[in-house]
Each structure stands twice: as C-alpha cells, then as structure tokens.
C-alpha cells in the first residue's frame, strides 16, 4: 500500500467528521421522528445515494450487478440486518435515554466485540493474550460507564446503553461477514445491502403507522437527510476508497477519531457534560482499542 499523503489525511478527517457527527444527528432526528423512521430514512436515503454514486462510477455494470443469481444474496441479507437494520434502529432508540457523547463512547466497542467474535467465524483467527487483555480493558471501560447509571431512573438509562452496545455488536458481526464479500466491488455490494435493508425498513414503517410523527422540525428533517446522504452513503465510499489507497491499518485510525469527534460535538453543540467516570471509560476503551492493534 502507498504511504499516506495529504489527501489520505483529509479523507481520514472527513470520514471521522461524518461518522462522528451521526450521534448528534440522531439526537436531532429523534426530536421529531421515532427511531424506526430515523432508521428507515437513513438507510433509504443512503441506498439512493449509493445507487447514484454506483451509476456514475460503474455505469451499466452497476445495474447488472442486481440480477438475481449472480450475487451472494443470502449473505447480503445477513449483512443488511447486521450493518443497517439493527444498528440504525438500536442506536437512535438508545439515544432517547443516553447523551450523544455517551453513545459515541459505547460505539467505540465495535473492534472489541470483533476480537471476541472473529475466532469463532473467521479461519486462522485465534485468541491471544493481547486480544484477551484488550477485551478485558474494554469491558472494564463499559462497566465504568454503565454502573454509575444505576441510580434514579436507572432502568431506562441501562436499557438505552445496552441498546447502543447491541448496535456495536451488530456492526462487529457485519464486519466479519463482509470478509466473505470478495467478488463484488465494495460500493456495489453496499448498495445491494442497503437496498435490502431499506425495503425491509420501509415495510415495517408502513405497517407500524404509529411510528410517524406529524409536523417534524426543519432541524430533524435536515439531520435525517444528513444521516442518509453522508453517514449512509458518502462516508462508505470514502472509507472504501481510503482502504484501497492506504490499507486497513491506516484507515482503522478513523475508529479513534470517530469517538473523539462524537464526544466533542456532543459537548460543543448540545451542551452535554462528561462526568469523571465517562472520561475514565473513554480512556479505557481507547486504550483497549490500542492494545488490540498489537494483536496483528
């Protein structure tokens, strides 16, 4: 892979800003929309965005890649559930009870869950002392974050935090399944995944008519559009492009920055405040991610 240059650092910052802002955008979107509508809007708009980008990039081959029988559709369906349907619903649902900055910290556990799951599903992946240490430090960080919530209306807070952790676990399962997608250009594969997910979510939203809320604010509508176009579309394309340019090791740095950006935006724009245990949890989880990098 090429040594990172200025363009690669710009891509890294761009991806981190986009995915780091998703927590604040979720916070704004759920002020007018239910979590199900937020998930549906994000995935559907993301699918349209990826379809346009794929059409511009690949031309006629983008349309032919949808034909039944030529694609691993069962794998696409599984990834659609793990990458889009579950996390895009669970995270905004959890944010009804949890600040956006806390959500950013909790979602940083994706690589930790991946370390746990990978040995069970990926050939030649094995547990090691470093992996075990990374997981242990990460879960201490989770406990430091969650345990102080057990007070007052603790049940809602804990359920919200567990929902976001469920989204992180789902993302990690998706990352493992994506390792088996090798015959399709990544942008086309993600377009197909989002097509399936958006169809399922649209049907669920139409059936659950109570999910709709009238007269949404312009802030919520703008936030939902941003979630779809940028977080559900453009960020994936930039991420895939950067992996091709610099490899996964450099690209993985975005994981640290996404968390820090999410925490900073929550504090700067929503007036959220981190408690001492939140800061300690952030340090422990980031330390766990760094330890995990030594596994390879």
């Amino acid at each position: 892979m090429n040594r990172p240059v200025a363009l690669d650092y710009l891509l890294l910052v761009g991806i981190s800003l986009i995915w780091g802002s998703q927590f604040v955008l979720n916070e704004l979107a759920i002020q007018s929309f239910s979590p199900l509508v937020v998930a549906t809007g994000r995935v559907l708009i993301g699918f349209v965005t990826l379809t346009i980008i794929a059409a511009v990039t690949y031309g006629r081959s983008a349309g032919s890649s949808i034909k039944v029988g030529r694609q691993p559709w069962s794998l696409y369906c599984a990834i659609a559930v793990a990458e889009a349907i579950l996390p895009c619903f669970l995270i905004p649902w959890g944010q009804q009870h949890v600040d956006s900055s806390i959500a950013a910290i909790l979602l940083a556990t994706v690589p930790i869950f991946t370390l746990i799951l990978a040995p069970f599903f990926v050939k030649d992946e094995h547990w090691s002392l470093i992996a075990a240490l990374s997981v242990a430090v990460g879960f201490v960080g989770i406990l430091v974050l969650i345990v102080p919530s057990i007070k007052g209306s603790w049940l809602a807070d804990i359920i919200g935090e567990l929902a976001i952790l469920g989204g992180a676990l789902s993302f990690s399962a998706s990352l493992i399944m994506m390792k088996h997608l090798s015959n399709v250009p990544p942008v086309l594969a993600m377009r197909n995944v989002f097509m399936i997910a958006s169809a399922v979510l649209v049907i669920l939203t139409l059936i659950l008519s109570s999910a709709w809320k009238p007269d949404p604010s312009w802030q919520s509508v703008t936030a939902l559009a941003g979630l779809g176009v940028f977080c559900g579309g453009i960020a994936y394309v930039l991420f895939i492009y950067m992996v091709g340019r610099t490899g996964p090791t450099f690209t993985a740095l975005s994981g640290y920055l996404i968390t820090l950006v999410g925490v900073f935006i929550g504090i700067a724009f929503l007036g959220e405040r981190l408690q001492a245990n939140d800061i300690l949890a952030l340090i422990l989880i980031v330390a766990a991610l760094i330890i995990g990098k030594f596994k390879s």
Side-chain angles (χ1 to χ4, degrees), residues 10-11 20 38 74 98 118 128 132 147 180 187 227 251 272 276-277 295:
L10 287 175
L11 288 170
V38 172
S74 59
V98 175
S128 66
V147 169
H180 301 285
V187 173
L227 282 168
T251 307
E272 297 173 354
N277 67 294
K295 179 177 179 291

Side-chain angles (χ1 to χ4, degrees), residues 226-249:
L227 282 168
V229 173
F230 293 99
C231 301
I234 292 174
Y236 279 102
V237 177
L238 295 179
F239 187 84
I240 292 165
Y241 178 59
M242 189 165 70
V243 169
R245 284 179 55 88
T246 63
T249 301

Side-chain angles (χ1 to χ4, degrees), residues 120-291:
F120 296 101
F121 300 103
V122 179
K123 185 179 179 181
D124 298 327
E125 285 281 351
H126 305 287
W127 273 90
S128 66
L129 182 60
I130 296 239
L133 179 61
S134 174
V135 170
V137 173
F139 273 97
V140 170
I142 293 172
L143 290 175
V144 168
L145 188 65
I146 290 179
V147 169
S149 299
I150 305 177
K151 59 183 179 180
S153 59
W154 64 272
L155 184 58
D157 293 340
I158 293 294
I159 291 176
E161 290 166 343
L162 290 177
I164 295 168
L165 286 173
L169 177 61
S170 187
F171 273 137
S172 69
S174 172
L175 286 173
I176 291 171
M177 288 188 281
M178 284 182 186
K179 292 180 180 291
H180 301 285
L181 285 176
S182 57
N183 299 324
V184 184
V187 173
L188 298 183
M190 290 310 303
R191 190 256 340 250
N192 294 345
V193 164
F194 270 59
M195 177 179 66
I196 295 168
S198 61
V200 173
L201 286 168
V202 166
I203 292 171
L204 288 175
T205 302
L206 292 175
I207 293 173
L208 302 173
S209 57
S210 61
W212 293 98
K213 292 184 179 180
D215 302 323
S217 68
W218 68 266
Q219 293 97 332
S220 295
V221 172
T222 303
L224 187 56
L227 282 168
V229 173
F230 293 99
C231 301
I234 292 174
Y236 279 102
V237 177
L238 295 179
F239 187 84
I240 292 165
Y241 178 59
M242 189 165 70
V243 169
R245 284 179 55 88
T246 63
T249 301
F250 179 79
T251 307
L253 293 174
S254 63
Y256 307 103
L257 296 178
I258 288 168
T259 301
L260 297 176
V261 168
V263 170
F264 173 79
I265 293 178
I267 293 172
F269 294 96
L270 296 181
E272 297 173 354
R273 298 180 63 182
L274 292 182
Q275 304 300 320
N277 67 294
D278 301 330
I279 297 172
L280 178 57
L282 174 61
I283 293 171
L284 287 170
I285 290 173
V286 171
L289 299 180
I290 295 172
I291 293 169

